[in-house]
Amino acid sequence: MGGRGRSRTQRKHFRQSRENVWKRSKSDHSDAANLIDASATNLAWEPFATQNQAFDEYYKVQEIVPPQEWDAFIDYLRKPLPAAFRINSSSQFYVDIRSQLENDFMNSLQAEDADGNEVEAIKPLPWYPDNLAWQSNFSRNQLRKNQILERFHDFLKLENEIGNITRQEAVSMVPPLFLDVRPDHFVLDMCAAPGSKTFQLLEMIYKLIDPGTLPSGMVIANDLDVQRCNLLIHQTKRMCTANLVVTNHEAQHFPSCHLHRNRAGDSQSGYIKESGIRQLQFDRVLCDVPCSGDGTLRKAPDIWRKWNAGMGNGLHGLQVQIAMRGAALLKVGGRMVYSTCSMNPVENEAVVAEVLRRSGGALELINVSSELPQLARRPGLKKWKVRDKGLWLASYKDVPKYRRSVLTPGMFPSGEPGAETPDPEIKQSSEQLHEDGTDNAENEPQLMDDSATTMDNLEAEVSDLPLEHCMRIVSHDQNSGAFFIAVFHKITSLPASAASVKKFTGVTKATDSGSPQPQIPKTEMKDALNGDEIGEENVNAGETPNGNSLDTEMDEAPLEADKNKIDDENAKEETEPPTEAKVVDATKIAAGKRKLQIQGRWRGVDPVIFYKEDAVVNGIMEFYGIKESFPFKGHLITRNNDMNHVKRIYYVSDSVKEVLELNFLAGQQLKIASVGLKMFERQTSKEGSNAPCIFRISSEGLPLILPHMTKQILHSSVVDFKHLLQYKTIKFQDFVDPEFGKKASELMLGCCVVVLKKEGQTSSDALPPLAINCWRGRTNVSVMVTAIDCQELLERVTAPLSTDTDEPSKGEAEAEADSSIAEGGVDHGKMKDSEDGSRSNARETATLV
């Protein structure tokens, strides 16, 4: 159980709030007011200084780009980043959205570059498959403020809120593309928040899957920080998937979830033997590790003034540990991608080289230069230097003795320890050095000789590893951010010494983690619901030293804000492994105020319990006519110990079910924050409690279960479908198609599904893609869909309506609906619970289930 008594520095950084670099303090205003002319009433806004002498010197020496390209390189880093977004291929409307971009916005929008020349306003990214990723040459500020672009901006906001597109930096989309994910793969995203890459991985395993079926693979998305797990859950909730598990662990200590030998013979482990899963390993692993984030300077300009070389040095050890843990969890024959949003070779090539050395030939670096040929990239570096406290160091033998507890041989190209060098005479002792790893002149020990100059003139080592197979993306090649990517292939099992990763405690020993962690400048993470981009790389950079690196007390923290505080007794780590008896006893908790939940040995986490109330499950299957061929029983879970007060029932795929069973038999090693697809919700209104089935189908679960339903289904004409979306509630006798109203009145009281029937289609045909959850009341049918989803569906059915000769005029339809409502056609009080329950699909900020 994590963090108590360890890593004080990191917990301090975690609790410190970020300085607001956009706002002057009151004292700054008052001091400045005394210096300006009396006629001036307001201070002028001053942009960030987009330069840093230490940055320029560092990357010129590292030769990230040739000298003749330096000016272009630095100029692009000072320009605003173009807005980029990705069409979610899992959306049923993705073809329509792509067509609208290609045939409407590309032709109607114009843009100008910085020199006033006309350029293409929006365009698909040529290297992303199927024209599903787009880049706009308008900055985010232009999109907000330019009235001409209002329609395009509104389009982006609406589709992003619904979940049809994801705002994501262009280079952030690259790493998942090199994983070569297939529908049968088990995939691990080790540092997943805020979830854009996880969403891509989910789309890949769902590719080419028929409607109503699930892939045999799955994705586990992990993040250490609880709040970022919430954001991750919200981002991926739009995918509506039963093949995702969200976990809350330190990436470098992600559990192996191994089935112990002494339990292999248990009678309860039969299904494990049948599934063949005895240890959780993955076909694909994504290590998008915490980094200093200087590749995001274009959208996080506050990094300019805080950047220093110590930031990269301090993260090297953690990055190696995460990558080695990922390699250990990777199956033989699998592929792992290591990536950062940093340009620093100490965080990139040095980490890759160290991983190759530690793996002892078990891993090889794949040359992927022929993949995505239209993506502009540069080969990895084979030589670099390390800068520490004002010194340029060409090899580890140049490291002064007093810094060898901070710098490690793995930071250098050769990885060789070399011979020790006598310490240069310094003006202050090493105990007086600052622990933040900064490279500021006032914090550096002053050398008495000319060592700094001689070090600078030393020729850097050259690595003998094939680091040119890595790739570095720089801004001026394709007007993007910067990124680094390396692709590994696992040839054989790792050596025993490499597979075990030491606990990273923050102690500054060369054999542990490297240097102390610097306090890295955080960047603003904007809410996904306001239509602004969530900077995935910025989040990694901003919360690295606290949220994703060292031990904290997060293992003992409640995962939801409204949970009770943990008392001292509960805060102690359990010494006994969990048993099934304990889980069974937990179901006897008395009804009433909800108590603190326990998931195995994890305090403050809702348990994961297979829902096996046969009477309720059989009732659901009978009410909705769920086919026996659909794998239903045994796939339902709940997060509440009290089976009499279960509000939500979740559905999991075969692959997730196997992992949950393995996790239970292995002692519940996984700390699960979210799992499964919300399939059913308890209807708590008075009318709902009188229905034959009190569980209604959720909006998220409808697409999966609909092809397997035979009851409680209505096929609607386009006109009546539109009227339901417009007026939310319509009495049986007020439908345009009287046959539809008659069939609705014959359904049982409770949840039903209204499916749009295309012209000439019969109910015996394959179910059409457009369907909505409704409630069959005593006298009417009411929609249980959020307002924003109604708006989207209305737009999708508008075009067919224009050719429908049977549609009444708009005024006539509105008059009919108004008359119906005036006669009491809708009981908003009874349906409030239903509507509120469905709002979480797109509107609410995510909370851990």
Side-chain angles (χ1 to χ4, degrees), residues 20 298 410 452 613:
N20 189 342
R298 297 185 68 179
E613 299 294 307

Side-chain angles (χ1 to χ4, degrees), residues 440-603:
N440 298 327
E442 63 268 22
N443 293 338
E444 296 176 7
Q446 297 300 315
L447 303 177
M448 298 300 292
D449 56 16
D450 197 28
S451 298
T453 302
T454 57
M455 294 290 186
D456 194 12
N457 294 330
L458 291 177
E459 183 65 26
E461 295 177 337
V462 178
S463 175
D464 58 356
L465 297 169
L467 299 180
E468 67 276 7
H469 292 169
C470 306
M471 70 186 81
R472 178 177 275 99
I473 300 173
V474 291
S475 297
H476 64 290
D477 281 345
Q478 51 199 354
N479 193 17
S480 66
F483 228 80
F484 175 87
I485 300 162
V487 184
F488 294 92
H489 174 245
K490 190 169 183 178
I491 303 172
T492 184
S493 299
L494 293 177
S497 59
S500 61
V501 179
K502 292 185 178 181
K503 188 76 172 176
F504 186 54
T505 60
V507 179
T508 56
K509 293 182 180 179
T511 56
D512 270 338
S513 63
S515 68
Q517 305 296 310
Q519 185 175 0
I520 297 174
K522 296 182 182 179
T523 53
E524 287 293 339
M525 180 176 66
K526 306 212 174 184
D527 195 324
L529 298 181
N530 65 9
D532 291 337
E533 179 180 5
I534 297 175
E536 180 162 1
E537 296 74 35
N538 286 352
V539 175
N540 282 348
E543 302 199 17
T544 290
N546 38 58
N548 262 342
S549 58
L550 305 182
D551 298 335
T552 68
E553 296 177 342
M554 287 298 108
D555 282 351
E556 299 172 349
L559 287 178
E560 295 183 6
D562 60 347
K563 289 191 180 297
N564 300 326
K565 294 183 178 179
I566 304 174
D567 57 27
D568 293 338
E569 181 178 354
N570 285 342
K572 296 178 181 178
E573 181 175 357
E574 283 193 35
T575 56
E576 298 182 21
T579 63
E580 185 180 15
K582 291 185 179 181
V583 178
V584 174
D585 290 342
T587 61
K588 299 178 181 179
I589 296 176
K593 186 176 180 181
R594 189 178 180 190
K595 303 295 183 181
L596 179 67
Q597 298 289 280
I598 302 175
Q599 180 193 113
R601 61 193 179 97
W602 307 111
R603 300 286 186 176

